[in-house]
Amino acid sequence: MQDETAAHVRDTVDAIYRSDSRRVLATLIRLLGDFDLAEEALHDAFATAVELWTEKGIPVSPRAWLISTGRFKAIDRLRKSARFETADVSALERLEVTETPDLEEDDVEDDRLRLIFTCCHPTLSPDAQIALTLREVCGLTTEEVAHAFLTPPPTLAQRIVRAKSKIRDARIPYEIPSRSDLPARLDSVLHVIYLVFNEGYLASSGASLTRADLSGEAIRLGRLLVELMPEPEAMGLLALMLLHESRRSSRATPAGEMILLEDQDRSQWDRAQIEEGVDLVERALASHRFGPYTLQAAIAAVHAEASNARATDWPQIVGLYDVLLRTDPSPVIELNRAAAIAMRDGPESGLALIDAILVRGDLTDYHLAHAARGDLCRRIGRTVEAIAAYERALELATQEPERRFIGRRLDELRLTSPR
Amino acid sequence: MKYLCLIYDNEKEFETMPRDRVEKMMGEYRAFGDGIKKSGHYVGGAQLHPTHTATIVRSRNGKVSTTDGPFAETKEQLGGYYLIEAKDLNDAIQVAARIPSAKSGSIEVRPLVEANA
C-alpha cells in the first residue's frame, strides 16, 4: 500500500468529485431509491474517502469504492433513524436484503440517463425540470441555479424540494423510457436543455456572467446526452447550440450593444465550434430521422459557412425554413422565413409575407415582428411606416440591449424623415 | 346508500402547522375513524399526498399528455376522502360534519351511483 500525503489525497478526491460525483449520485439514486438519501450518501462517501484514503491508499477503482461506501453509509443512516421512526424501516429492509450490486460500466452510464430522464419527467413543471436538472445532473448549487434564473434562493429550493417529493411520493420510476415512449420523453429532455441554453444566450448583457455560464452548462448537457444516446435530434440540438455559441463574442460590443448578424465581425466566430456543429448537423441529416432542432441547426450552419451576409446561400435557407415550417408550423418560424425571403427576393417580397402574418393577428404583440417590418420598410425608403413599426417594437421590447438598438434605429430614421 | 366525502382544506396551512397541532389533528382523525367504524358508516378512506405530487392525464385523439397540476392557487385543496355507508343524505351530513377538517376547510358529500342489482 502506497503512503499518500494528505494534500495529494485531497487533490485526488477533489478531482474525482468534479469528474465523477454526478455518476456516483446517479447510481446511488438507483440503489437507494431516494434523491435526498443518495445526496447525503454521496457526501458521506467523499468525506470518508478523504479520511480513509490518506491512511490506506487510493483504491484501484475509486468510483466503485465511493458507490459502495455511499450505500453502506446510507444503510447506517437508515438504521439510526429507524430507531426513532418507523417510516424508514421498509426502505432499510429492502436495502439490507439486496446484495452489493455489480457496478458494470454500462449500468453506470445508464444511471446517468435514468437521472436525466427522471429530472426531465413531463409530469414535473417545466420550471422544476430545469431546476432539478441543473442541480442534480450538472451539480450546480441551489444558489447558483437561483442566481442564474434571477429567482430568490428559497423559492428555488422549495421548487426542488417539491419536485423531489413528487418523484418519491407519486413514484416517478427511475428508468430509461421504453422505445415507444422515447420520442416524447426525449423531446422533454431536449426542451429543458434548449431552455437552459436560451436563458444563457439571450441574456448577453452587462453584469450577468453566470447567465453565459448557463449556455456552457446546456452545451455540456447536450454533449452528455449525445454521448449516452446519439439520437439525431440530440445531435441536432447540440449542433444548434454550438453554432449559436460560436458567435457569442461578436454579438455585442464591449459596452453590451447588440450587433446584428449581418454586421458581425465573422473573423471572431469560433471556428472549432462551427466545425463541430456542422459535422453534427451532417450526421443528424444523414439519419433521415431528424426534426426541428436539426433543421434550425442546418440554418445556423449555412450562416456560419458564409463569409459575409451577401454571400449567404439564401435560397438554401428559405428551403430549410420551408421544411421546418412543415414539421413544426409556427408563426415565429414563418416570420423568420419571411426575413430570409426578403434577402433572397428583395424587401418587398418579405414585407408582403410579414404583413400577411400581422393581419392574421398572430404576432401583433411580438416585438421582433414589428422590428423586422420596420427594417424592411427602412430598406425600401418607406420611412414613415418604418418609424411607426419601430415605435411599436419599442413599446413591446423588454430587454435593454434590444431597446437601445431599436432606439438607435429610430434616431437614424427621424434624422432622414422629411418632417 | 354510499356517499363519498371529499375533504378540502388549506394544505399550505397544514404543511406549516406546528407539530403539536398536527398531532392533535391526527388524534382527532383517529378518534373519528374509530367512531365511524363502530357506527358502521366506514367503507374506506385515505389521506392524499399534497397537490404538488399530482399529475393531470388527458387522452385526446389517442395521444396521452401528462402535466403537473392542478395548481394549488385555490384556497382549499382535495386532501383526502372517506367512503361511507349512510342511511340518507342527512345521515351522511351528520358524519361529514364530524370530519375534523370540516372545522377549518370544507367537505363535499357526493352520493355514489348504485349499480343496478
Side-chain angles (χ1 to χ4, degrees), chain A residues 173-243:
Chain A
Y174 194 60
E175 62 184 24
I176 301 167
S178 65
R179 190 156 287 278
S180 63
D181 287 348
L182 189 62
R185 294 288 307 279
L186 185 64
D187 272 355
S188 158
V189 173
L190 296 174
H191 192 60
V192 165
I193 299 175
Y194 186 63
L195 290 177
V196 172
F197 181 79
N198 276 348
E199 193 66 29
Y201 185 77
L202 294 175
S204 59
S205 64
S208 45
L209 265 180
T210 20
R211 294 170 61 91
D213 295 346
L214 273 183
S215 299
E217 287 301 334
I219 289 173
R220 274 183 44 203
L221 269 173
R223 269 190 216 289
L224 175 63
L225 190 63
V226 168
E227 181 194 314
L228 296 172
M229 191 174 253
E231 285 289 312
E233 274 292 84
M235 289 192 252
L237 175 59
L238 177 57
L240 178 63
M241 296 191 293
L242 287 166
L243 290 164

Side-chain angles (χ1 to χ4, degrees), chain B residues 40-60:
Chain B
H41 286 104
Y42 180 84
V43 180
Q47 186 189 349
L48 302 180
H49 279 296
T51 45
H52 71 262
T53 64
T55 297
I56 304 289
V57 179
R58 288 186 183 87
S59 180
R60 298 283 184 277

Side-chain angles (χ1 to χ4, degrees), chain A residues 226-281:
Chain A
V226 168
E227 181 194 314
L228 296 172
M229 191 174 253
E231 285 289 312
E233 274 292 84
M235 289 192 252
L237 175 59
L238 177 57
L240 178 63
M241 296 191 293
L242 287 166
L243 290 164
H244 280 315
E245 190 66 13
S246 74
R247 299 199 292 262
R248 177 176 290 282
S249 64
S250 62
R251 286 171 60 226
T253 66
E257 299 303 330
M258 220 173 95
I259 305 174
L260 290 188
L261 184 61
E262 59 179 275
D263 302 323
Q264 288 174 13
D265 174 4
R266 294 183 183 220
S267 68
Q268 277 188 42
W269 291 0
D270 187 320
R271 286 290 135 196
Q273 283 176 331
I274 291 174
E275 229 168 87
E276 192 187 353
V278 169
D279 178 58
L280 283 161
V281 173

Side-chain angles (χ1 to χ4, degrees), chain B residues 1-6 8 82-84 89 92 96 107-113:
Chain B
M1 183 80 178
K2 287 190 180 64
Y3 293 88
L4 187 61
C5 303
L6 298 162
Y8 286 88
Y82 282 103
L83 183 61
I84 60 166
L89 181 60
I107 315 295
E108 181 178 333
V109 179
R110 302 278 296 267
L112 266 67
V113 175

